[in-house]
């Protein structure tokens, strides 16, 4: 609840969801950038200022959110990530877990409370990790 | 016994000599001591005697001979020494013998005799064993010496004043006596004194007289002791001895004579019996002397030869046998002499010159006479000849039938190419040939109320057949044999009582033979033969031969009929199986494929030269869900064959020739016989590729629908929350809250629909591990309190209760049941959660107070889209999938769920398995 002013990159191929989630983050006081596909997500990650948090959908054209995040992790990028999805495939939790401890699965649909909780959990963990380092 | 006694004596004597105890050397008896050399001879003789009973050959014989030779040598040396011919004194060679006590000459001679007896073995000379004579000689010497001592006559034991040596000692006399007796007794049955143990009259007499003879001298000696001691005069003693002798002699003679006379009477009576038997014997008995002249014959012998007894007694054996038998008689005589008895068949000549066949049982009696018992075997010879003729007939008949059976067998062997009709035709044709009949027919069926099941005829023209009609019945003359079960033949059909109703235009049958065809005593049909060609009617012989034919072919016919029936059944079954869309394989108990349909053949691999492990030529490439080859023993059909269980596997694939993996479902079960034994197995293979595709599409569709429904829900929820934070008024905030709740309920419904769809497609999977049911229950209760803080929920459970379950899914079940209990239970009453150990399961119950469920509700509660009357009337929200999913989830864990309702409570109880032991 206490987190604000983060640079957040939100990726979803559904413009409504992208808009809704972006607005939700903005209402929480964060700066939001949007991407509508996996490759756009990668491009923005590479080209723009470093982000504090990535929020991505899984099923997107060209490259899924998971694939994009696996690539970025492979490239050494350790930005905390919230993977949101309306899918219920059994293997998804494992795939999210594989992104590391600074990744979290958020099942759609979710409300503001669920979103804020997820951000808090991730940011707290990230802060602890930075302190420990 | 004798050997042990003598050896003991000898050993004592030797000890006496060596220890220089004079008392021992003569055993304390009066008279001279026993010489040491005598003791040695005694010991050696004892050894020889001891070894003798087994004196057949080899080692024992060798021991006997060497001992006897040693004894002889010592004895001869002693004798020569006494005669002054040598200076070798054996006794002086023995240490400690200061005084020269040499073996007395008669002692030495007695031992020489004993040694000779041992050496002579069992040889006989004119029926007498010389050994026995030698032993008797030794016995005589010893007896004379002993009598000499008893009656104090020194010359008898060898102490003659004119001879410069001492006599035989008392111990030596006893030892010689014992050894001599021992020799005779050791093989008494063959010795000279065998008569003593004989069971006949001689034996009885010998034993009595011998006992008397032995008993007399000691008695007499005792009586003569009196005068010496001065009790009475010598003359009194002698008179008493005389009286005793007369008395004993008389008693012995009388008793022995009585016994002998009784035995003689018995013998004569027995002889008379035998005579009577011989005379009355039905078989002729001839007795001839060694010169082959008859000395006795019985009445039967007279009858056989046709001669009177007197006339026969003047004949010799050669006179009554046929001339060619004479040389053979000599031959028989030689064999008879060798102790054999001869049984031969001969011809015996009668007085009238004819010959009678006889069986002669001849032997030579111990006294050299011939004895022959003849038996007239004329009758037997006649019977034998008749039997031989019958056997010959039988053989030829059998050969004929064999040939015929070969024809029938060939026809049956051609089955199923040939049919029952062909078999019947063959049989009818064979019967017609056997009996020379013009017409023949073979029919199956015995029910007079309907036509024959099968009918085959031979020899009839089409017109004649038409006259009989297409469907003859076993009635009237055609039914007679089947109804009586026996063959019957008539010279004219017109004579048959029921023949009047014969249809016109029938072939002009004259005579007829009908024979029932029986299988296991049951008539199954009839063979008909008509118009015998070479005689006016069928004979009994024809009937017999056709009956035998019918008997032989009945089984074949039955087989053919069964074969035909089974063949039809098989063909029918094969057609059905072939038309099945599913693949079917039937194997026998050895896993050999017995049947296989077209559908399954199309799923096999076309390997021309390969076989499966059981040698079946059709090969299947069976793979499991991970495309690994399934081991042969794990194939469903083999599993069913081995275990007798029905196996269903839906996770298999069949590799196809084009590389495709065909998804299949295989259901295999055992095939059992009437006794319940497994005789094979069957598998039904279904190509489920279409079904899988449909399932996949449906799953995909459900996932897409669920995904797409959740996206707008996300928008609603996010914006509802956002609106709620922006709006301060109470009323709009309440409206926004209702929107939020509606969205969340919609989300749950989507979730339930997805689960229900998966359940229905058997695709709901759980991932069980060992979890604590109590902890799950606590977490569920906490969650329930979040949305309903007022709820009274009580948990009754142990501290931990481990179950083998998917934690999320069980929480889902429990949450569902708890939510139902809170929704439908009487408000403000507690809901009870109980977790109990019900080995081998754990039972979890959710109980609420409230309206009871009707039987109808209880029954339908767990089905899809089912809602209770109460839920509908109370307008409690829900789509009726919750319990359906609960049931599916519990069952996916291997548990069961049920509902109980009564006493104002409703209890849902479900079970879960405990974690596996390891």
């Amino acid at each position: 609840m206490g987190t604000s002013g983060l640079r957040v990159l939100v990726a979803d191929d559904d413009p409504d969801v992208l808009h809704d989630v972006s607005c939700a983050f903005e209402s929480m006081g964060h700066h939001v950038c949007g991407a509508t596909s996996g490759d756009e997500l990668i491009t923005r990650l590479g080209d723009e200022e470093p982000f504090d948090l990535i929020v991505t959908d899984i099923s997107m054209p060209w490259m899924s959110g998971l694939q994009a995040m696996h690539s970025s992790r492979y490239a050494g990028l350790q930005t905390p990530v919230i993977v949101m999805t309306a899918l219920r495939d059994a293997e998804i939790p494992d795939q999210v877990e594989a992104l590391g401890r600074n990744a979290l699965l958020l099942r759609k649909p979710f409300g503001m409370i669920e979103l804020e909780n997820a951000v808090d959990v991730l940011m707290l963990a990230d802060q602890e990790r930075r302190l420990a380092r | 016994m004798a050997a042990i006694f003598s050896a003991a004596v000898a050993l004592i004597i030797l000890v006496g000599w060596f220890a220089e105890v004079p008392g021992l050397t003569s055993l304390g008896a009066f008279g001279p001591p026993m010489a040491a050399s005598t003791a040695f001879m005694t010991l050696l003789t004892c050894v020889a005697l001891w070894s003798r009973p087994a004196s057949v050959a080899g080692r024992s014989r060798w021991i006997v001979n060497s001992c006897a030779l040693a004894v002889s040598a010592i004895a001869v040396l002693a004798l020569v020494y006494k005669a002054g011919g040598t200076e070798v004194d054996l006794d002086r060679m023995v240490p400690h013998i200061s005084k020269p006590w040499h073996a007395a000459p008669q002692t030495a001679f007695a031992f020489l005799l004993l040694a000779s007896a041992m050496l002579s073995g069992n040889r006989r000379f004119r029926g007498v064993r010389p050994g026995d004579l030698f032993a008797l000689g030794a016995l005589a010497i010893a007896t004379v010496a002993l009598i000499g001592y008893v009656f104090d006559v020194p010359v008898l034991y060898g102490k003659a004043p004119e001879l410069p040596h001492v006599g035989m000692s008392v111990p030596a006399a006893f030892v010689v006596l014992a050894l001599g007796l021992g020799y005779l007794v050791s093989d008494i049955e063959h010795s000279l004194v065998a008569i003593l143990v004989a069971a006949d009259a001689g034996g009885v007499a010998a034993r009595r007289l011998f006992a008397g003879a032995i008993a007399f001298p000691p008695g007499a000696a005792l009586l003569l002791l009196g005068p010496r001691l001065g009790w009475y005069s010598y003359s009194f003693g002698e008179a008493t001895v005389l009286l005793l002798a007369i008395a004993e002699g008389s008693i012995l003679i009388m008793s022995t004579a009585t016994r002998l006379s009784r035995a003689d009477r018995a013998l004569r009576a027995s002889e008379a019996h035998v005579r009577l038997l011989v005379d009355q014997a039905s078989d002729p008995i001839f007795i001839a002397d060694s010169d082959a002249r008859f000395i006795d014959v019985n009445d039967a012998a007279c009858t056989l030869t046709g001669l009177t007894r007197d006339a026969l007694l003047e004949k010799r054996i050669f006179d009554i046998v046929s001339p060619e038998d004479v040389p053979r008689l000599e031959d028989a005589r030689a064999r008879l002499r060798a102790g054999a008895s001869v049984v031969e068949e001969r011809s015996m000549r009668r007085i009238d010159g004819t010959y009678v066949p006889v069986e002669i049982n001849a032997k030579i009696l111990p006294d050299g006479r011939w004895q022959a018992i003849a038996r007239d075997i004329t009758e037997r010879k006649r019977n034998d000849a008749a039997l031989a003729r019958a056997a010959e007939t039988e053989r030829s008949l059998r050969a004929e039938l064999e040939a015929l059976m070969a024809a029938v067998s060939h026809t049956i062997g051609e089955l199923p190419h040939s049919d029952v009709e062909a078999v019947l035709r063959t049989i009818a044709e064979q019967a017609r040939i056997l009996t020379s009949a013009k017409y023949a027919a073979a029919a199956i069926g015995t029910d007079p109320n309907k036509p024959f099941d099968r009918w085959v005829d031979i020899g009839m023209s089409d017109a004649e057949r038409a006259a009989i009609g297409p469907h003859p019945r076993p009635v009237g003359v055609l039914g007679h044999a089947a109804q009586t079960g026996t063959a019957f033949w008539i010279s004219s059909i017109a004579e048959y009582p029921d023949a009047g109703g014969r249809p016109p235009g029938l072939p002009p049958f004259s005579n007829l033979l009908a024979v029932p065809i029986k299988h296991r005593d049951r008539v199954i049909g009839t063979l008909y033969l008509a118009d015998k060609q070479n005689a006016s009617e069928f004979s009994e012989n024809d009937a017999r031969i056709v009956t035998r034919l019918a008997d032989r072919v009945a089984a074949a016919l039955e087989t053919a009929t069964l074969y035909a029936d089974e063949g039809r059944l098989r063909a029918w079954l094969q057609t059905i199986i072939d038309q099945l869309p599913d693949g079917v394989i039937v194997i026998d108990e050895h896993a050999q494929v017995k049947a296989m349909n077209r559908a399954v053949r199309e799923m096999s691999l076309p390997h021309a030269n390969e076989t499966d492990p059981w040698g079946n030529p059709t090969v299947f490439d069976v793979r499991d869900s991970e495309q690994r080859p399934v081991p042969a023993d794990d194939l469903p059909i083999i599993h069913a064959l081995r275990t007798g269980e029905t196996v269903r596997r839906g996770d298999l694939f069949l590799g196809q020739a084009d590389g495709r993996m065909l998804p299949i479902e295989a259901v295999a079960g055992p095939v059992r016989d009437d006794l319940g034994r497994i005789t094979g197995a069957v598998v039904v293979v279904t190509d489920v590729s279409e079904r899988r595709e449909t399932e996949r599409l449906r799953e995909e569709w459900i996932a897409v629908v669920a995904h797409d429904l959740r996206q707008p829900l996300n928008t609603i929820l996010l914006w509802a929350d956002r609106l709620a934070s922006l709006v301060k008024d109470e009323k709009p905030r309440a409206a926004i809250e209702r929107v939020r709740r509606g969205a969340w309920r919609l989300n749950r419904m989507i979730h339930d629909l997805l689960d229900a769809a998966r359940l229905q497609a058997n695709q709901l999977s759980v991932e069980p591990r060992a979890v604590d049911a109590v902890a799950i229950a606590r977490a569920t209760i906490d969650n329930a309190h979040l949305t309903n803080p007022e709820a009274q929920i009580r948990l009754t459970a142990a501290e931990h209760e481990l179950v083998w379950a998917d934690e999320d899914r069980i929480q889902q079940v429990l949450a569902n049941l708890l939510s139902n209990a809170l929704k439908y239970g009487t408000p403000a009453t507690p809901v009870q959660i109980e977790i109990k150990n019900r080995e081998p399961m754990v039972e979890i119950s959710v109980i609420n107070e409230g309206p009871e469920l009707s039987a109808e509700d209880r029954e339908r509660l767990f089905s899809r889209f089912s809602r209770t009357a109460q839920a509908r009337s109370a307008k409690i929200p829900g789509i009726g999938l919750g319990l359906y999913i609960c049931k599916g989830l519990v069952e996916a864990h291997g548990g069961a769920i049920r509902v109980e309702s009564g006493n104002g409570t409703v209890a849902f109880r479900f079970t879960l398995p405990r974690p596996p032991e390891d």
Side-chain angles (χ1 to χ4, degrees):
Chain A
M1 285 277 199
T3 334
S4 69
L6 300 172
R7 276 181 58 79
V8 181
L9 176 57
V10 180
D12 200 308
D13 62 327
D14 185 329
D16 288 343
V17 176
L18 181 58
H19 179 248
D20 297 342
V21 175
S22 298
C23 286
F25 274 106
E26 279 165 359
S27 75
M28 285 186 246
H30 303 303
H31 309 286
V32 179
C33 261
T36 53
S37 65
D39 48 340
E40 195 184 343
L41 171 68
I42 296 279
T43 313
R44 283 186 181 270
L45 276 178
D47 292 355
E48 301 190 10
E49 294 283 308
F51 290 96
D52 299 309
L53 175 68
I54 302 163
V55 179
T56 177
D57 186 26
I58 291 182
S59 50
M60 288 188 291
W62 295 111
M63 187 188 277
S64 82
L66 277 171
Q67 284 170 331
M69 287 321 297
H70 277 292
S71 307
S72 68
R73 286 280 190 266
Y74 189 73
L77 203 66
Q78 291 299 325
T79 314
V81 59
I82 294 173
V83 178
M84 51 183 188
T85 183
L87 296 172
R88 293 292 185 271
D89 296 17
E91 60 273 13
I92 288 175
D94 289 344
Q95 289 170 337
V96 173
E97 206 171 297
L99 294 174
R101 290 182 61 192
N102 50 355
L104 203 133
L105 177 64
L106 184 62
R107 289 187 189 281
K108 288 180 185 170
F110 51 83
M112 286 299 286
I113 303 161
E114 288 78 18
L115 192 58
E116 282 170 4
N117 278 343
V119 173
D120 287 350
V121 167
L122 263 186
M123 287 300 112
L124 201 65
D126 192 52
Q127 224 164 357
E128 279 173 6
R129 204 164 31 252
R130 279 167 203 264
L131 285 175
R133 218 180 281 164
Chain B
M1 275 277 282
I4 292 169
F5 163 75
S6 310
V9 169
L11 284 172
I12 291 168
I13 303 289
L14 281 176
V15 167
W17 281 116
F18 284 104
E20 296 185 77
V21 184
L24 285 184
T25 53
S26 61
L27 279 184
F30 49 87
M34 189 200 247
S37 52
T38 311
F40 280 125
M41 285 192 286
T42 308
L43 278 180
L44 287 167
T45 315
C46 287
V47 173
L49 184 62
W50 191 255
S51 309
R52 194 173 163 266
S55 65
V56 185
R59 232 178 142 120
S60 311
R61 187 71 245 173
W62 176 79
I63 293 173
V64 172
N65 285 348
S66 15
C67 288
L69 281 174
V71 170
S72 310
I74 296 171
V76 167
L77 274 175
L79 284 174
V80 171
Y81 173 76
K82 289 294 170 183
T86 175
E87 283 303 310
V88 181
D89 180 4
L90 288 171
D91 286 353
R92 284 187 184 224
M93 295 165 118
V94 181
H96 306 294
I97 299 181
S98 49
K99 214 173 171 192
W101 292 107
H102 325 294
Q106 64 266 59
T107 308
F109 187 61
F111 274 101
L112 191 61
L113 285 174
L114 283 174
S116 308
M118 301 289 179
L119 282 172
S120 69
N122 285 329
R123 275 187 287 275
R124 283 178 185 274
F125 186 71
R126 288 182 181 252
V128 179
R129 274 201 311 207
D132 291 348
L133 294 177
F134 292 141
L136 283 176
L139 277 178
I141 294 172
T143 311
V144 166
L146 279 177
I147 288 174
Y149 278 116
V150 169
F151 291 95
D152 199 15
V153 188
V155 74
L156 287 184
Y157 53 86
K159 202 176 176 186
E162 58 275 18
L163 290 172
H165 57 77
V166 293
M168 188 182 222
S169 66
V170 176
F174 273 116
V175 162
V176 170
L177 198 65
L179 290 174
L181 284 174
Y183 176 87
L184 289 174
V185 173
S186 68
D187 190 17
I188 196 159
E189 278 85 8
H190 301 106
S191 75
L192 206 57
V193 293
I195 187 73
L196 281 179
V197 292
D200 57 10
V204 171
R207 278 193 292 278
R208 278 160 191 261
L209 294 174
F210 194 71
I214 295 284
F216 180 74
L222 277 174
L223 283 170
L224 290 176
L225 213 60
R228 258 193 256 173
L229 296 171
W231 290 349
Y232 42 80
S233 66
Y234 271 101
S235 51
F236 176 78
E238 283 160 3
T240 316
V241 168
L242 192 65
L243 278 173
L244 186 72
I246 292 169
E248 194 193 342
S250 311
I251 292 166
L252 284 176
I253 289 165
M254 285 306 287
S255 71
T256 310
T258 312
R259 281 293 293 270
L260 286 176
S261 146
R262 204 185 305 151
D264 189 48
R265 274 204 303 281
L267 185 68
R268 264 180 304 185
S270 159
E271 271 180 358
H273 269 126
V274 172
R275 176 76 245 170
L276 198 67
L277 275 178
V278 167
D279 273 344
Q280 293 187 345
S282 58
D283 289 332
I285 297 172
F286 301 88
I287 294 173
D289 61 14
S290 53
D291 208 20
R293 187 172 299 284
F294 290 118
I295 50 175
D296 200 0
V297 291
N298 68 352
D299 291 346
C302 301
T303 315
L304 179 72
T305 52
L307 289 163
T308 62
R309 182 179 156 84
D310 290 336
L312 201 49
L313 290 185
E314 285 172 11
K315 303 270 185 198
R316 299 177 73 216
I317 296 175
F318 310 106
D319 299 332
I320 61 159
V321 299
S322 62
E324 64 264 31
D325 275 349
V326 172
R328 288 200 280 168
L329 213 58
E330 285 300 325
D331 178 47
R333 185 178 181 155
R335 276 185 287 146
L336 288 169
R337 284 253 165 80
S341 68
V342 172
V343 180
E344 286 174 331
E345 284 186 15
R346 295 256 177 277
S347 294
M348 198 170 267
R349 194 165 66 178
R350 287 173 53 85
I351 183 75
D352 55 11
T354 57
Y355 286 93
V356 189
V358 288
E359 183 188 79
I360 293 192
N361 184 339
K363 58 178 169 187
I364 289 189
L365 299 174
D367 55 10
R369 289 182 302 168
W370 291 66
Q371 178 195 282
I373 301 170
R375 176 167 293 169
D376 184 346
I377 53 171
T378 316
E379 193 65 25
R380 200 178 83 191
K381 284 275 179 195
R382 203 177 293 141
N383 289 343
D384 283 354
L387 277 175
R389 275 198 306 279
E392 184 50 41
T393 314
E394 171 93 17
R395 245 198 314 279
S396 65
L397 191 64
R398 198 183 290 273
E400 213 166 351
L401 278 171
E402 288 305 330
L404 198 149
M405 281 308 293
V408 175
S409 300
H410 179 76
T411 316
I412 291 170
E414 289 294 306
L415 285 168
H417 307 298
S418 65
D419 52 13
V420 182
E421 309 261 311
V423 177
L424 282 176
R425 187 169 300 279
T426 311
I427 293 164
E429 182 59 37
Q430 296 300 329
R432 195 173 71 94
I433 294 165
L434 276 175
T435 54
S436 314
K438 185 179 176 194
Y439 304 102
I444 303 276
T446 55
D447 187 350
N449 297 318
K450 58 177 194 176
F452 287 113
D453 297 337
R454 288 164 199 276
W455 167 275
V456 166
D457 55 64
I458 292 167
M460 266 185 267
S461 66
D462 289 346
E464 288 168 331
R465 190 172 294 122
I468 286 184
H471 303 297
R473 288 164 179 262
V475 290
V477 77
L478 292 183
H480 189 104
Q483 271 136 38
T484 57
T486 53
F488 104 105
W489 61 97
I490 47 175
S491 55
S492 165
I493 292 183
E495 286 171 14
Y496 192 76
D498 285 353
R502 284 207 312 160
L506 274 186
F509 297 140
S510 52
N511 46 38
L512 176 88
L513 168 63
V515 173
I517 303 171
K518 289 194 232 175
H519 184 55
R520 295 187 179 152
D521 290 339
R522 187 173 59 83
V523 179
I524 57 171
T526 314
L527 265 175
Y528 303 99
L529 295 150
D531 280 15
K532 191 171 171 71
Q533 294 298 288
N534 50 7
S536 62
E537 61 176 319
F538 289 97
S539 67
E540 187 173 354
N541 202 43
D542 288 332
R544 209 173 62 229
I545 197 165
V546 177
T547 302
R548 299 202 44 181
L549 171 65
D551 289 348
R552 298 290 292 272
V553 300
L557 256 181
E558 191 84 346
T559 310
T561 312
L562 279 175
Y563 205 113
D565 289 349
E566 202 198 353
R568 258 204 310 278
L569 197 69
R570 278 180 66 87
W572 177 69
L573 215 63
Q574 188 65 44
T575 314
I576 291 178
I577 290 178
D578 264 346
Q579 284 170 357
L580 279 179
D582 293 336
V584 177
I585 304 173
V586 182
I587 58 170
D588 65 9
E589 65 262 50
H590 307 298
Q592 300 289 313
V593 172
K594 287 286 132 189
M596 179 181 275
N597 71 350
R598 186 184 39 76
V600 81
R601 215 169 271 122
E602 284 170 4
M603 298 182 202
S604 68
L605 281 185
H607 286 311
N609 296 322
E610 274 186 48
T611 57
D612 70 6
W614 299 278
N616 296 306
T618 314
V619 178
F620 294 91
D621 177 20
V622 188
R623 306 292 183 106
D624 65 10
S625 56
E626 282 159 37
Q627 315 281 303
R628 288 175 305 206
V630 176
D633 285 345
D634 291 347
L635 293 174
I637 195 167
I638 301 301
H639 192 78
L641 181 69
R642 300 267 158 82
T643 63
E645 292 167 2
T646 300
V647 187
R648 173 188 288 270
R649 282 190 71 172
D651 61 338
L652 297 178
F653 292 84
L654 282 181
Q656 300 297 289
D658 58 7
R660 252 180 336 124
M661 282 291 159
L662 192 69
I664 55 156
E665 183 182 72
V667 181
V671 176
R672 294 174 190 273
D673 64 9
D674 297 344
L675 299 173
R677 292 175 303 208
I678 296 173
T679 56
V682 60
V683 66
V684 177
V685 181
T686 312
D687 174 354
V688 293
S689 44
E690 275 182 31
R691 196 199 296 169
R692 288 279 164 83
E693 184 59 16
T694 312
E695 279 167 6
R696 195 186 60 77
L697 286 173
R698 186 167 61 174
E699 175 71 6
E700 209 173 273
W701 182 82
I702 291 167
V704 167
V705 168
H707 177 266
D708 290 358
L709 281 174
R710 282 182 189 122
Q711 300 283 35
L713 268 182
N714 216 46
T715 304
I716 294 169
L717 279 170
L718 279 175
W719 283 110
D721 284 351
R722 185 111 168 79
L723 274 175
S725 68
L726 292 174
V727 176
K728 300 292 171 205
D729 284 356
E730 202 53 42
K731 256 188 159 176
R733 276 183 70 94
I736 292 166
E737 183 56 28
R738 274 206 295 279
V739 171
R740 280 189 68 238
R741 283 202 198 142
W744 280 119
R745 211 170 64 227
L746 198 55
N747 186 44
R748 271 200 305 279
M749 280 180 194
I750 294 167
H751 193 260
D752 282 358
L753 277 168
L754 201 60
D755 272 353
R758 282 180 177 153
L759 251 180
Q760 210 194 347
N762 282 324
Q763 282 186 335
L764 191 82
S765 61
V766 294
E767 287 173 22
R769 45 201 185 88
V771 289
D772 184 4
V774 181
I776 295 174
R778 290 214 174 92
T780 313
I781 293 168
D782 288 349
N783 280 344
H785 278 141
L786 283 178
T787 49
N788 190 352
E790 314 285 299
Q792 300 179 51
I793 307 166
R794 290 179 192 159
L795 176 63
T796 314
E799 199 171 336
H800 301 288
E801 205 70 78
L802 283 185
V803 290
W804 188 250
D806 186 322
E807 186 168 352
D808 290 344
R809 291 307 201 170
I810 291 313
Q811 197 164 355
Q812 185 184 344
V813 171
L814 207 49
N816 197 303
L817 295 179
L818 193 56
S819 132
N820 281 348
L822 291 169
K823 262 191 272 181
Y824 300 111
T826 309
T829 56
V831 171
Q832 191 81 24
I833 296 181
E834 288 175 1
I835 301 178
K836 285 183 178 167
N837 180 8
R838 297 243 191 265
E839 284 293 348
M841 309 291 272
V842 171
E843 188 183 73
I844 303 170
S845 309
V846 179
I847 308 153
N848 68 272
E849 292 175 22
E852 293 175 17
L853 290 173
S854 68
E856 193 193 356
D857 277 346
R858 285 205 300 272
E859 205 170 295
R860 298 179 43 219
L861 214 49
F862 294 104
S863 35
R864 273 196 303 169
F865 307 112
S866 143
R867 307 204 64 212
T868 60
Q870 186 203 352
R872 282 193 302 273
S873 63
K875 298 232 164 52
I876 294 173
I879 49 172
L881 283 176
L883 288 174
Y884 172 69
I885 293 165
C886 285
K887 182 168 187 277
L889 285 173
V890 168
E891 286 172 357
H893 281 86
I897 188 166
R898 66 183 199 279
V899 61
E900 291 166 4
S901 183
N903 298 328
T905 62
V906 175
F908 283 87
R909 301 182 197 276
F910 68 95
T911 54
L912 290 173
R914 292 192 161 279
E917 290 294 320
D918 44 339

